[in-house]
Amino acid sequence: QMLVMTLLICGAVLCVAIAALFTFQVVNFRSNFQLDATTLAAVIANNSTAALTFDDAKAAKEVVDSLTNKATVVSACLVRNGSPFVYYGNADYTNALSQFPSAQGYLFSRGHLLVTQPIKCGVDQAGTLYLRLDYQRTLLELLGLYGLVVVSIIIVSIGLAAFLSRRLGSKITHPILHLARIAQVVGEKKDYSVRAVVSSRGDELGRLMESFNEMLSRIESQDAALSLSQQKMEALINSIDGIVWE
């Protein structure tokens, strides 16, 4: 029972710690993902400034096609004079520009991160970049990795806790079981002469056994005194009976 209680306590504490760490990692991932996305959008917008200014569709296409190396990017669209100029990725997503924030900013929507980045040429706005990234897929991959790590930690922790509890718990359970056996002998046989073996470590269990032995000593002394008084009383009664009969 002590082993089970120890494992339950360790498991509860471990679950709370893992939940707190898991929540922190998810929040931190969301923040970093958003920061990386807005930084990427700013870089693409800056590289597209000249292409939009000089109406160079080929150069603009080369800029957005550089997003091929970004696995999280679903689509990107460069808008010039209110109409799509070039796009990258899924055309269906590219045409759904109404879902994006109207001004510079970002929005999490249906598992995607939508980023709107104005493209400036001096003080004038040459166009707008609309960037869509797959936040949900990346998050699920990360959660899968965290899940494997968490399961591994739990298995190792439970195994370690069970091993240490058996090794260290014996130092507590063995003296208590020894004390319980002594108490059982005293209760069944009324033998107050038995004593518990006191450990020399001087901890709480050692003091408990010393107190138990002192209690047995007092009970033994009282029992001996009571037996002696009973013997004297019986002797006195017998002597009185002898006098009466005479």
Side-chain angles (χ1 to χ4, degrees):
Q1 291 181 351
M2 290 187 64
L3 176 60
V4 174
M5 291 180 62
T6 302
L7 292 178
L8 289 177
I9 293 173
C10 292
V13 173
L14 183 62
C15 287
V16 171
I18 289 177
L21 180 60
F22 192 80
T23 303
F24 170 77
Q25 290 293 343
V26 171
V27 173
N28 188 57
F29 166 77
R30 182 186 177 97
S31 176
N32 289 336
F33 190 87
Q34 173 265 316
L35 180 61
D36 292 342
T38 53
T39 302
L40 177 63
V43 171
I44 296 298
N46 183 65
N47 293 338
S48 304
T49 302
L52 289 176
T53 302
F54 296 103
D55 196 17
D56 189 347
K58 181 179 180 180
K61 180 63 174 175
E62 290 177 355
V63 172
V64 296
D65 283 346
S66 65
L67 295 171
T68 305
N69 297 325
K70 299 294 183 180
T72 57
V73 176
V74 176
S75 65
C77 181
L78 291 175
V79 174
R80 182 174 182 269
N81 297 328
S83 60
F85 187 55
V86 295
Y87 65 86
Y88 163 81
N90 194 317
D92 294 336
Y93 285 133
T94 302
N95 294 329
L97 300 181
S98 60
Q99 301 175 359
F100 286 77
S102 56
Q104 180 178 2
Y106 63 91
L107 173 68
F108 287 95
S109 175
R110 298 180 181 180
H112 288 166
L113 175 59
L114 311 179
V115 181
T116 301
Q117 178 65 45
I119 302 173
K120 298 287 186 179
C121 181
V123 295
D124 298 326
Q125 183 167 336
T128 305
L129 168 65
Y130 296 95
L131 186 65
R132 181 187 294 267
L133 299 96
D134 193 343
Y135 168 77
Q136 186 176 28
R137 186 185 69 179
T138 309
L139 178 61
L140 290 178
E141 291 176 355
L142 183 65
L143 293 180
L145 176 61
Y146 284 168
L148 291 177
V149 173
V150 167
V151 171
S152 300
I153 291 175
I154 291 176
I155 293 176
V156 173
S157 299
I158 291 178
L160 183 61
F163 173 75
L164 293 178
S165 296
R166 289 184 181 277
R167 293 294 298 272
L168 301 178
S170 61
K171 296 183 179 181
I172 298 176
T173 57
H174 287 177
I176 293 177
L177 292 176
H178 173 66
L179 190 62
R181 286 193 294 269
I182 296 299
Q184 184 178 7
V185 170
V186 171
E188 292 177 353
K189 299 182 179 180
K190 307 301 181 183
D191 184 4
Y192 301 109
S193 63
V194 296
R195 295 292 183 270
V197 179
V198 181
S199 61
S200 59
R201 54 189 177 181
D203 56 5
E204 289 81 0
L205 288 175
R207 290 193 291 272
L208 174 62
M209 291 185 175
E210 290 176 355
S211 300
F212 184 77
N213 288 338
E214 291 176 1
M215 179 187 68
L216 289 179
S217 298
R218 288 194 296 268
I219 293 176
E220 184 180 18
S221 300
Q222 293 173 0
D223 184 66
L226 183 61
S227 297
L228 180 61
S229 299
Q230 185 176 3
Q231 292 175 2
K232 291 181 179 179
M233 180 65 68
E234 290 177 353
L236 178 61
I237 292 175
N238 290 333
S239 62
I240 293 176
D241 288 342
I243 294 173
V244 172
W245 284 107
E246 290 176 359

